Amino acid sequence: MKVIASSLRKGNVVDVDGKLYVIVTAENIHPGKGTPVTQLDMRRISDGVKVSERYRTTEQVERAYVEDREHTFLYQDAEGFHFMNPETYDQLVVPQDVVGEGAPYLQEGMACMLSVHEGNPIALELPARVTLEIVDTEPTVKGQTASSSYKPAMLANGVRTMVPPHVATGTRIVVMTADGSYVERAKD
């Protein structure tokens, strides 16, 4: 089906000259002078080649039919990342390049949105937030105010993030999966 370029978002799948591409980033650019354009960074599904395209915001682009369904993450091995459809119990192996930078945030039993085109997994959307434990950070300094600067911390999944000074090692925190930024202390 044809859609206007400005309506495309990250994770959408488009058909360009008979080849399928998944959108990695989509940005609408409105210059002071001239026509507004939509800048799309895409990854070709067949071979993983990254392509950058510009369309006028009103230009029509062919959007491919993709089935988005919730899947549960099971485990990772040499083949890739294993997901299960909770309704049919069918298992899918998702390659590393589809999972991308979200790999460290995957946790056993986590529900994720998996986009499948003709039986092939092409895109993965993680939950917006995950709860992780801090395994290493600088000690809390007495008298330091909570509104001051942030300090570096290492999470249980191996990702480094910045946390407020009052957060100590062993604390469970909520982080954004998009960029690994600190949100709040976990309520559990």
Side-chain angles (χ1 to χ4, degrees):
M1 89 182 139
K2 292 240 183 226
V3 295
I4 59 170
S6 63
S7 69
L8 294 171
R9 299 283 172 259
K10 179 182 175 182
N12 290 161
V13 178
V14 293
D15 187 334
V16 180
D17 302 326
K19 291 190 168 67
L20 290 178
Y21 294 86
V22 65
I23 296 174
V24 180
T25 60
E27 183 183 10
N28 291 320
I29 303 165
H30 300 278
K33 204 175 180 183
T35 321
V37 293
T38 300
Q39 173 77 35
L40 299 176
D41 291 331
M42 307 180 289
R43 183 175 44 81
R44 194 175 321 146
I45 292 166
S46 58
D47 55 10
V49 172
K50 289 198 170 126
V51 179
S52 197
E53 288 280 340
R54 271 190 173 182
Y55 296 99
R56 289 191 304 281
T57 51
T58 55
E59 218 172 319
Q60 298 282 311
V61 181
E62 185 69 34
R63 190 164 167 201
Y65 176 72
V66 175
E67 186 180 7
D68 291 331
R69 184 165 280 145
E70 193 170 275
H71 281 68
T72 306
F73 176 65
L74 299 175
Y75 60 93
Q76 176 190 4
D77 65 8
E79 286 181 52
F81 297 83
H82 294 259
F83 288 84
M84 179 185 68
N85 182 332
E87 295 164 18
T88 62
Y89 300 108
D90 291 340
Q91 289 190 22
L92 273 171
V93 179
V94 180
Q96 169 71 45
D97 62 330
V98 172
V99 176
E101 297 168 3
Y105 299 105
L106 283 171
Q107 297 170 350
E108 195 175 307
M110 178 185 274
C112 303
M113 284 304 282
L114 196 59
S115 301
V116 180
H117 181 271
E118 296 174 358
N120 298 321
I122 53 171
L124 176 72
E125 190 177 321
L126 295 171
R129 300 168 175 205
V130 292
T131 303
L132 294 162
E133 187 176 328
I134 294 176
V135 291
D136 183 41
T137 188
E138 297 166 6
T140 306
V141 178
K142 209 175 181 93
Q144 197 173 19
T145 59
S147 63
S148 73
S149 62
Y150 279 51
K151 63 182 181 179
M154 179 66 79
L155 300 171
N157 64 353
V159 174
R160 295 185 79 68
T161 189
M162 300 300 280
V163 296
H166 66 273
V167 178
T169 302
T171 307
R172 289 176 52 79
I173 62 167
V174 177
V175 295
M176 296 297 284
T177 55
D179 57 4
S181 61
Y182 171 85
V183 178
E184 62 186 2
R185 283 177 112 146
K187 305 273 192 277
D188 52 4

